[in-house]
Amino acid sequence: MPSELTDERRVFLSTLPAGPRQRRRALAVVLVSVAIFFAAAPFARLQLAAVPAFIPIIASTLVINDLITAALLFGQFRLLRSRALLLLASAYLFTACMTVAHALTFPGVFSPTGLLGAGPQSTAWLYIFWHSGFPLLVVAYALLKDEGRAMSVSRGRAGVAVLGGIAAVLVVACGLILSATAWQSALPAVMQVNRIAAQGHVVLSSVWMLSLVALGVLWWRRPHSVLDLWLMVVMCAWLFDIALSAVLNAGRFDLGFYAGRIYGLLAASFVLIVLLLENGKLYVRLVEAFTSERRKTVELLAVNKELDAFSHSVAHDLRAPLRAVDGYAGMLEDTYAGRLDAEGRRLLGVVRASSQLMGRLIDALLDFARLGRQPLRTRPVELDDLVNQIVDELRADCGRRSIDFAIGKLGTAEADPALLKQVLANLLGNAIKFTRDKNPAVVEVGCRRETEKGDANIYYVKDNGAGFDMRYSDKLFGVFQRLHRTEEYEGIGVGLSIVRRIINRHGGRVWADSRPGEGATFYFTLQSGS
């Protein structure tokens, strides 16, 4: 898969460095906005016809844009778990809430004095709260964006953080709406009917300064990501919005009033457009990667078929001379038993044991090679019955050894029954083999729920045998890797590599914990069966 799809730091707008192309595009947008602003500014006080329907039209568009942007940013937060992204998503949700209240309370739109119990100052103060809150949250985002660590919550609990952010925004928005409606008489007068009062210009100029501060902090907090770059474009549009509709103009329904709100609509669209474009590009790359992987899979299947035929042919050719070696060594042992001394019999025994070991190695390699080509046939498997069956089969090979098997309640797992039996047989066989010096030997099989994956279980096989040094655990699941001498414990070092390959194919993972002389515990995860 292409590296850009596997490296989270180079996929998302919040982590993707702003390149020259993005900078040129952003600069072009800002220059066009500046040109239009300077063309409109001298005429900001020009009174135009009052069109009350303009308010709900522009507000509904703003709300839709802000809600979609917030949803996309919350989605990125759930993956990256960055506090900065959580704050920025909450900022866009906040603007959506305040836009709704601003439109509902606007006099003459839905009622002569506005809804929600609004008074003559309610709409203006909602505008102030709205245009102060977003820049403050942008400043907080800029200060936190390079904190270099994700929130210490699991992927599952990131959803709880999102719900907490949404709840906090709703509480703050409701409090500000209540302040601007029920308690608006306690606030300074910003409007005189449809005209901005003298002290209103002072308050609104302070709000304008907050957007300038947010732009400055974004510029200062380098390096800039693509998201940072377009947020700076957003804050430039907000500066033009407030300047035209609240600082340079005279009141409602003049040219500055209308032009400023159009700038506000553009500001709400920039980040959304970039997010949607980047998501589209990512989708195209995913499709290309999927097509490439599918083509490689077809090619690998063809190669695997050839390798399968080749491996069986080679195995047959190798087994023939091995059988001859073992057979002739057996004949020599039987024919000349009376003439051979102890050293001769020992050497013939080494020849026979070596040929038989080579035969087992060939069988193990064929088993290992077939694992990648066999399709998984998963279904719910009752592990209690399966483990008891394997224990009964293995107990027959234990002779008179005293082995205590402790089998907990294992339940059901979603797995291929034949391959899962191979996993358990290898782990239980190893547990029996490496506890042969213990009396009694204790082998425990159990299960517990995995904390981070709600529908996965952790299964384990524990023994009180020889154990091993965890310093060498990286070799444990390799092919032909052994941590004990063959003279001490027989084996060829393939069983655990087969275990890992089977569990990985099921989407699980396998690991171990041990201390020399104190036994070992092998863990693996599987999805619980339905």
Side-chain angles (χ1 to χ4, degrees):
M1 185 175 289
S3 61
E4 64 267 23
L5 296 179
T6 57
D7 183 1
E8 284 187 344
R9 302 295 300 170
R10 300 194 62 82
V11 170
F12 300 104
L13 290 179
S14 57
T15 53
L16 185 67
R21 179 180 297 179
Q22 290 280 4
R23 293 181 186 276
R24 286 195 296 269
R25 290 174 181 172
L27 180 60
V29 171
V30 170
L31 290 177
V32 171
S33 300
V34 169
I36 296 173
F37 171 75
F38 279 109
F43 308 99
R45 292 174 175 264
L46 179 63
Q47 194 66 35
L48 302 178
V51 184
F54 176 79
I55 301 301
I57 291 172
I58 203 82
S60 58
T61 309
L62 282 169
V63 169
I64 292 172
N65 285 4
D66 288 337
L67 287 178
I68 296 174
T69 305
L72 292 172
L73 291 172
F74 277 129
Q76 288 197 14
F77 162 74
R78 293 196 65 176
L79 292 171
L80 299 179
R81 291 174 288 166
S82 161
R83 290 180 178 88
L85 277 178
L86 182 62
L87 279 173
L88 188 60
S90 300
Y92 274 93
L93 180 61
F94 172 79
T95 62
C97 294
M98 299 307 291
T99 302
V100 172
H102 179 269
L104 292 176
T105 60
F106 203 96
V109 176
F110 297 103
S111 74
T113 59
L115 302 178
L116 305 180
Q121 304 300 321
S122 297
T123 303
W125 276 102
L126 285 171
Y127 181 92
I128 292 168
F129 294 149
W130 168 16
H131 284 73
S132 301
F134 184 79
L136 289 173
L137 288 171
V138 169
V139 169
Y141 159 82
L143 295 176
L144 289 175
K145 73 183 182 73
D146 296 323
E147 59 181 351
R149 64 182 185 278
M151 291 181 68
S152 57
V153 296
S154 65
R155 299 269 182 176
R157 290 189 61 81
V160 178
V162 170
L163 293 176
I166 294 172
V169 168
L170 294 177
V171 169
V172 171
C174 289
L176 293 175
I177 293 169
L178 186 64
S179 299
T181 53
W183 304 326
Q184 61 97 27
S185 59
L187 299 172
V190 175
M191 300 294 298
Q192 292 177 345
V193 191
N194 283 336
R195 312 297 287 179
I196 301 175
Q199 61 181 349
H201 279 290
V202 175
V203 175
L204 291 166
S205 297
S206 302
V207 173
W208 185 84
M209 287 296 298
L210 282 177
S211 293
L212 185 62
V213 169
L215 177 61
V217 174
L218 279 170
W219 179 263
W220 169 64
R221 292 287 289 169
R222 301 187 181 190
H224 297 143
S225 67
V226 175
L227 181 59
D228 300 337
L229 184 66
W230 286 98
L231 273 176
M232 284 190 277
V233 176
V234 168
M235 296 317 303
C236 287
W238 268 57
L239 286 170
F240 302 145
D241 169 8
I242 301 171
L244 287 171
S245 63
V247 178
L248 300 178
N249 71 327
R252 292 169 181 155
F253 303 115
D254 55 18
L255 188 143
F257 174 87
Y258 288 111
R261 276 155 177 76
I262 292 173
Y263 267 111
L265 176 59
L266 292 174
S269 304
F270 289 136
V271 169
L272 174 60
I273 291 171
V274 176
L275 282 170
L276 292 176
L277 288 175
E278 289 300 314
N279 282 352
K281 291 178 182 178
L282 179 59
Y283 179 76
V284 170
R285 291 200 295 268
L286 285 171
V287 171
E288 291 174 348
F290 174 77
T291 303
S292 175
E293 292 298 316
R294 188 174 182 180
R295 183 173 59 253
K296 290 178 183 177
T297 301
V298 173
E299 294 172 355
L300 285 174
L301 287 173
V303 172
N304 280 338
K305 288 182 180 178
E306 296 177 4
L307 287 174
D308 192 36
F310 175 75
S311 60
H312 279 84
S313 175
V314 170
H316 178 269
D317 293 341
L318 288 175
R319 282 197 184 98
L322 284 175
R323 282 194 295 267
V325 170
D326 185 52
Y328 283 122
M331 291 173 59
L332 287 172
E333 200 172 38
D334 294 339
T335 304
Y336 299 100
R339 305 181 194 179
L340 293 173
D341 58 11
E343 180 63 13
R345 288 192 294 275
R346 187 187 71 80
L347 292 176
L348 280 176
V350 170
V351 171
R352 297 199 67 184
S354 297
S355 63
Q356 292 166 5
L357 176 60
M358 179 62 83
R360 292 197 297 273
L361 282 171
I362 292 171
D363 291 337
L365 282 175
L366 286 175
D367 288 342
F368 187 78
R370 278 194 291 266
L371 284 177
R373 296 191 291 272
Q374 292 174 338
L376 287 178
R377 297 180 176 86
T378 60
R379 62 177 178 82
V381 180
E382 292 289 343
L383 269 75
D384 302 83
D385 297 338
L386 183 60
V387 169
N388 283 313
Q389 175 190 342
I390 296 170
V391 167
D392 290 340
E393 293 172 0
L394 294 175
R395 199 189 294 271
D397 298 329
C398 296
R400 297 181 179 180
R401 287 184 57 195
S402 175
I403 301 179
D404 293 338
F405 289 97
I407 303 174
K409 181 64 176 175
L410 303 176
T412 305
E414 188 72 22
D416 185 309
L419 294 179
L420 183 55
K421 182 175 181 180
Q422 198 170 357
V423 167
L424 292 168
N426 272 305
L427 294 179
L428 287 166
N430 280 351
I432 292 171
K433 176 171 64 177
F434 288 101
T435 56
R436 70 183 185 190
D437 298 327
K438 298 290 183 176
N439 189 21
V442 177
V443 178
E444 179 184 347
V445 185
C447 167
R448 69 171 185 262
R449 179 73 62 179
E450 190 169 19
T451 56
E452 291 192 3
K453 297 181 179 179
D455 56 350
N457 288 334
I458 298 177
Y459 302 93
Y460 61 89
V461 176
K462 182 179 181 181
D463 65 65
N464 65 335
F468 57 86
D469 193 329
M470 288 295 291
R471 289 181 300 172
Y472 309 108
S473 60
D474 57 327
K475 299 181 179 180
L476 194 61
F477 296 98
V479 183
F480 301 129
Q481 297 289 339
R482 291 177 49 80
L483 302 187
H484 300 85
R485 292 197 302 256
T486 307
E487 298 80 26
E488 294 177 316
Y489 299 98
E490 70 280 359
I492 57 175
V494 176
L496 289 179
S497 60
I498 289 176
V499 167
R500 183 175 65 176
R501 192 162 184 178
I502 291 174
I503 295 302
N504 287 349
R505 287 198 65 201
H506 282 78
R509 50 196 181 89
V510 59
W511 68 99
D513 186 29
S514 179
R515 288 186 180 180
E518 298 182 15
T521 306
F522 286 85
Y523 303 90
F524 64 92
T525 63
L526 287 173
Q527 298 296 306
S528 58
S530 55

